[in-house]
Amino acid sequence: MKNISAGNATSHNDLFSDQKPVFFEVNLNTSLAAFAKKFSITNWKAYYEIIYNSIPGNPKMGTTEEVDDCISKFTCFITTTINLSTKVQLIKGHFRQLPQFILDKKKIKNRLRKLYQQTFYPPFKLQKQIHKDIEDFDNNRWRETIQGINSEDNTLYDMNRKLSNKFIPTPPILDTDGMKYMPLGKANAFRYSLENSFQENPEPYCNSHISKVNLTINKYLRSLNTCSPPNIISPQEVINLIKKINPRKATGPDGVPNKAPRMLTLNAVTHLTKIFKNVLLSIASQHPGN
């Protein structure tokens, strides 16, 4: 039953087994409007930039409460960034209406797939045929659209606006001898800028003094008696685990798509690594014998 907004479900302990009867009470007089047809598009480049500027790479985690707070903030950062980077567009009009014979083939394919999952027989091979029928249907519809274009009723103008791509020219570059408009001049200006940026330091330096400073620093570092906590997990290990996530899988209860962890920046991965490290350290401190 679709678009039912009001209803109650109650369970009765009338049986001695675990299977208890459930009664549903539905108000048929109250209904919701039909859901709007819409689809969401996530700009992953904007998601990457927001993550890069919002998540700190080295958060403060000293106690268990701070670790829990960092976990909740990290999850909130991810979900908020996805919402900010996602645009919801309403679909005006109807969806693409496929012919009835293609819909019948899709139904047969679904039935054969379920049968194959249960009995491994018969093998269903209608997918390529359905794709071919849909491609032929789209080509025929496009051919009819082209034949119906006419300059008198502005259909040619509308089609030109839909198919034309906006050309964004590259802005000119200011060089030492003026503005560069041509690609060769821009490339030379960029090359000269790199050459001027990576020149040897003209100020004199002393190798013996540099060696003396290095020896002093190394001696100071070796004299430190502080012991740092063991590096239980590294950012590279977290990256390797993230790469194993299949982006085509469905989202979990939090609604975060599997592509979101794969688009994390280095500071976010470092943040996540520190969370894992502190969680493992807290577990190790609670169970020192294990």
Side-chain angles (χ1 to χ4, degrees), residues 22 27 47 51 54 59 68 84 101 133 139 162 165 190 199 209 229 233 250 257 275 288:
V22 179
N27 187 2
Y47 168 85
I51 289 292
S54 60
D68 295 337
L84 292 176
F101 74 95
D133 293 338
N139 292 334
K162 292 180 180 179
N165 296 324
F190 185 68
Q199 289 185 356
H209 181 70
I233 187 171
I275 291 176

Side-chain angles (χ1 to χ4, degrees), residues 212-252:
K212 184 178 179 180
V213 172
N214 290 333
L215 290 175
T216 304
I217 293 176
N218 292 331
K219 183 178 179 180
Y220 172 75
L221 294 176
R222 286 194 297 267
S223 64
L224 294 177
N225 295 324
T226 58
C227 58
S228 59
N231 190 8
I232 299 178
I233 187 171
S234 63
Q236 186 60 41
E237 292 177 344
V238 176
I239 293 174
N240 294 334
L241 292 175
I242 291 175
K243 287 182 179 179
K244 295 180 181 179
I245 298 176
N246 189 356
R248 297 181 179 273
K249 293 293 184 179
T251 59

